[in-house]
Amino acid sequence: MIELFINGRGFFVKEGTTAAAAVLTCGTAQFRSSVTGEPRAPLCGMGICYECRLTIDGVQHARSCRIMATEGMRIETT
Amino acid sequence: MTDLLIIGAGPAGIAAAVTAAEQGASVTVIDDNHAPGGQIWRGEFHGKPWYDRFQKVKLNIISDARVIAVHGNAVVIEQGAAARTIHWNKVILATGARELFLPFPGWTLPGVTGVGGLQALVKSGLVIRNKRVAVAGSGPLLLAAAAYLRAKGADLVMIAEQVPTAALMRFGMELRKHPKKLKQAAALQLQLLGVPYVRDCYVEHATGKGKLETLQFRQGSKTFTEEVDYAAIAYGFTPETELAAAFGCEILAHGVWVDKRQQTSIQNVYCAGESTGIGGVDVALLEGELAGLAACRKPTKHLLPLLAREQHFASLLNQTFSPRPGLKHLCTADTIVCRCEDVTYQVLRQQPDSRTAKLQTRCGMGPCQGRICGPANTFLFGWEQGSVRPPILPARMATLALSMTQETSS
C-alpha cells in the first residue's frame, strides 16, 4: 500500500493506482471548479478531457488520471 | 533519426510496430499511456494475440509521451517535464479514438463518466465494489464495460441502449454471419445475467447536489428514475484525427483518408486503426499490419480480403448504433456544452459555425482543445470540426520554446 495525502488528510491506496482513482476511491467527488464555479470530476479516464485536473505535489493542472500515486504524494482538490 | 516512427501503442500501433520491426526496420513508438495496449488492452496486453511477437522484436518505446507539434519530418514530444525532437523517415499515425459524449442536463456532474471512461478509471485503481452503476448510451462497449464493472463488484442497476428494438433485432440476424463476434456477444450476455438490458432507452437528465444522485431515463413515452453513484454514458466513438490534421493529412467525416496501403494524402505518412474510421480492434490490427508492411515496401494484397470482412462488420455496427436524432433535443438553454469554458447550448445555437463559436464564445479553446465539445457540436448543429494548430495539446513553456526553435530551423 501507498500512503498519500488528499487535502492534507492521509489515505492508503494500492500500488498501481492513479491519482484520479485514488481521489475517487477515498471519497472525494469534486476534483476541480469549472470557470463558472461548477463542481467537476473525471469524464474520459484517458487524459483528453482535462476534467480530472488537480494540484499534485505543487504542480497545478496535473491530469490526475495519467499520474500514478506515489508514496507521500500531496494532492489538492478545489 | 528513426526509419519509422509510430505514434500510438494501441492495437493498430502495436501491429504496425511488430510487423515493421520483423521486416528489419528501426522502429520508435511514442505512446501517451504508461504501458502499451491502448485503451482496449489497458493493463491486459499480456496474453493478447500480438503479445508474444511484440516481446520478440526490438522496439524503442517512449511511454507517457505526447506529440505537441509537427515540423516537417520532425515532431516535438513532451514526456513528463522533458521535451525533445524526434526525426523520422516514415511515420504511422495510430492515435485511435475517443468516446462520443452527447450533452444532456446534468452531464457535467461528478459521477457522470464515459463508458470506457469508467472502465479505465476502475482499471487504474478506482474501487467500484458495491457502488450503484448505470451504463447507458450506445454500442457493444456498453456490454463489455458493464461485464467488467460487474466482475469488479459493481452493483449494476441497468444497461440502457438507445437503439430501438427492431434495429437491434436486425443487427442480431446479421451477427450470425460473424460467428466469432456472435460468440463474444453470447459470452457477455452470460456474464450479465440478471442485469436489465433496456432497449430504446436513454438518459434524459442527471441531477444531484454537488455530485450525481439521480438519473432520469426515457423509453418511448415512459420515463423513470434511478438512484446511482456512477453513470457511465457514451454514444460510441469518434476518431482521434487532430494529430493527422497537424501533419496536413486530408480528413473526411468518418476519419483520416487513406489509400489501400494505409497511406494518407501526405507521402510517407500512414494512418491505421480507429483514426481512419471506427472499426474496432480486428480492423485496427489488420490496418496496423498493412501499414507496417507498406512502410517497409512489402506486398499487402493478401490482407485485403480479411480487412474487407472485418469492415463489413464495422459498418454494420456503425449503422446500428449511430445516435438517434432525438438526442439533439436533450439540452436545455443553460446546459453546458463546452466543459472547459462553460459555454451553454443557448449561446452556441446562435452561432453559424465552429470557427465563429470559437471566436465569439471561446467554445473549444480550453485545455481539451475541442476534443469533447467538437464532435458534440457536429452532432447538435452539423458544424464541421475546427482547424488544428500547434500546440496540439497543452504543453509546458520549455516544450513550446523547443518547438519554436525547431520551427525556425526546419
Side-chain angles (χ1 to χ4, degrees):
Chain A
M1 297 293 265
I2 288 171
E3 186 177 24
L4 48 73
F5 300 89
I6 302 170
N7 299 324
R9 221 179 122 198
F11 292 94
F12 287 93
V13 296
K14 271 191 190 163
E15 230 164 290
T17 301
T18 59
V23 170
L24 287 172
T25 298
C26 298
T28 305
Q30 178 176 354
F31 278 51
R32 67 178 197 103
S33 290
S34 74
V35 293
T36 63
E38 281 200 356
R40 295 290 167 78
L43 171 73
C44 78
M46 55 184 270
I48 58 156
C49 75
Y50 288 78
E51 289 286 31
C52 70
R53 278 174 285 156
L54 295 170
T55 300
I56 299 180
D57 289 334
V59 179
Q60 294 182 320
H61 300 292
R63 290 180 304 157
S64 63
C65 78
R66 308 266 83 188
I67 296 171
M68 285 295 167
T70 51
E71 184 65 37
M73 180 179 266
R74 306 199 83 89
I75 299 172
E76 317 294 333
T77 68
T78 46
Chain B
M1 173 77 78
T2 182
D3 283 353
L4 179 61
L5 176 66
I6 294 174
I7 302 171
I14 286 169
V18 169
T19 305
E22 285 174 350
Q23 297 295 330
S26 94
V27 180
T28 299
V29 184
I30 300 175
D31 187 41
D32 186 25
N33 289 288
H34 205 59
Q39 296 307 319
I40 188 165
W41 292 341
R42 180 192 288 266
E44 298 170 352
F45 181 29
H46 185 92
K48 296 292 176 193
W50 286 74
Y51 187 75
D52 290 341
R53 283 168 72 183
F54 177 82
Q55 289 294 89
K56 281 184 196 130
V57 293
K58 189 171 162 275
L59 299 169
N60 173 26
I61 298 180
I62 306 171
S63 295
D64 289 318
R66 1 175 57 192
V67 175
I68 300 300
V70 180
H71 301 293
N73 74 330
V75 291
V76 174
I77 68 163
E78 189 176 85
Q79 188 185 30
R84 60 197 259 213
T85 304
I86 296 178
H87 292 83
W88 45 270
N89 285 324
K90 289 184 180 176
V91 62
I92 299 175
L93 310 175
T95 47
R98 53 185 185 257
E99 291 190 274
L100 175 62
F101 299 112
L102 300 178
F104 59 89
W107 77 300
T108 56
L109 283 170
V112 179
T113 68
V115 175
L118 187 58
Q119 192 177 11
L121 286 163
V122 173
K123 282 187 180 182
S124 56
L126 166 60
V127 177
I128 200 78
R129 183 163 297 280
N130 297 330
K131 297 288 181 195
R132 283 175 64 81
V133 180
V135 178
S138 208
L141 182 65
L142 302 190
L143 296 174
Y148 179 85
L149 296 169
R150 192 182 207 199
K152 292 288 173 187
D155 174 10
L156 272 184
V157 176
M158 62 183 279
I159 302 166
E161 169 59 65
Q162 57 97 27
V163 174
T165 307
L168 282 174
M169 301 282 270
R170 279 197 298 277
F171 175 73
M173 297 295 282
E174 290 287 324
L175 199 57
R176 291 190 201 170
K177 294 176 193 161
H178 299 269
K180 190 183 147 196
K181 306 286 196 295
L182 189 64
K183 218 174 129 188
Q184 286 170 357
L188 285 174
Q189 277 178 346
L190 202 63
Q191 292 168 54
L192 289 165
L193 266 182
V195 178
Y197 181 75
V198 188
R199 303 177 185 92
D200 198 11
C201 180
Y202 53 90
V203 174
E204 212 165 34
H205 63 75
T207 50
K209 225 177 151 199
K211 66 178 178 68
L212 170 66
E213 288 165 4
T214 309
L215 291 173
Q216 178 169 304
F217 294 87
R218 174 171 288 278
Q219 189 184 35
S221 58
K222 194 175 78 183
T223 62
F224 56 96
T225 60
E226 292 284 354
E227 307 287 314
V228 294
D229 297 306
Y230 288 99
I233 308 175
Y235 290 89
F237 298 95
T238 188
E240 181 79 13
T241 58
E242 283 74 7
L243 189 60
F247 273 86
C249 304
E250 189 184 348
I251 314 288
L252 306 175
H254 68 271
V256 179
W257 180 87
V258 288
D259 66 12
K260 281 197 160 64
R261 287 171 65 80
Q262 301 299 132
Q263 184 163 260
T264 68
S265 58
I266 305 291
Q267 210 184 357
N268 294 330
V269 178
Y270 298 79
C271 187
E274 300 292 67
S275 26
T276 68
I278 302 307
V281 60
D282 295 317
V283 170
L285 288 169
L286 282 166
E287 287 192 0
E289 192 176 352
L290 260 163
L293 289 171
C296 297
R297 299 173 181 270
K298 297 291 175 194
T300 53
K301 278 208 175 103
H302 62 290
L303 293 172
L304 294 178
L306 292 171
L307 184 60
R309 183 179 161 75
E310 292 300 340
Q311 279 169 337
H312 170 260
F313 179 71
S315 63
L316 200 63
L317 280 181
N318 292 333
Q319 279 163 27
T320 306
F321 295 99
S322 64
R324 61 169 73 197
L327 296 168
K328 289 177 191 172
H329 310 300
L330 295 180
C331 289
T332 57
D334 59 358
T335 304
I336 284 169
V337 175
C338 167
R339 302 169 63 118
C340 295
E341 296 290 336
D342 284 2
V343 189
T344 61
Y345 179 73
Q346 168 175 253
V347 168
L348 286 175
R349 76 175 160 200
Q350 297 166 25
Q351 308 300 323
D353 53 51
S354 62
R355 187 176 152 75
T356 313
K358 203 169 180 175
L359 293 172
Q360 300 295 326
T361 73
R362 292 197 53 81
C363 176
M365 290 184 76
C368 95
Q369 287 286 289
R371 281 177 175 76
I372 305 298
C373 66
N377 285 331
T378 300
F379 179 73
L380 293 173
F381 309 116
W383 295 348
E384 277 182 38
Q385 293 198 31
S387 57
V388 174
R389 291 195 301 179
I392 300 158
L393 295 160
R396 288 168 172 260
M397 290 302 286
T399 311
L400 298 182
L402 176 70
S403 182
M404 286 175 74
T405 320
Q406 192 62 44
E407 192 174 8
T408 323
S409 69
S410 68

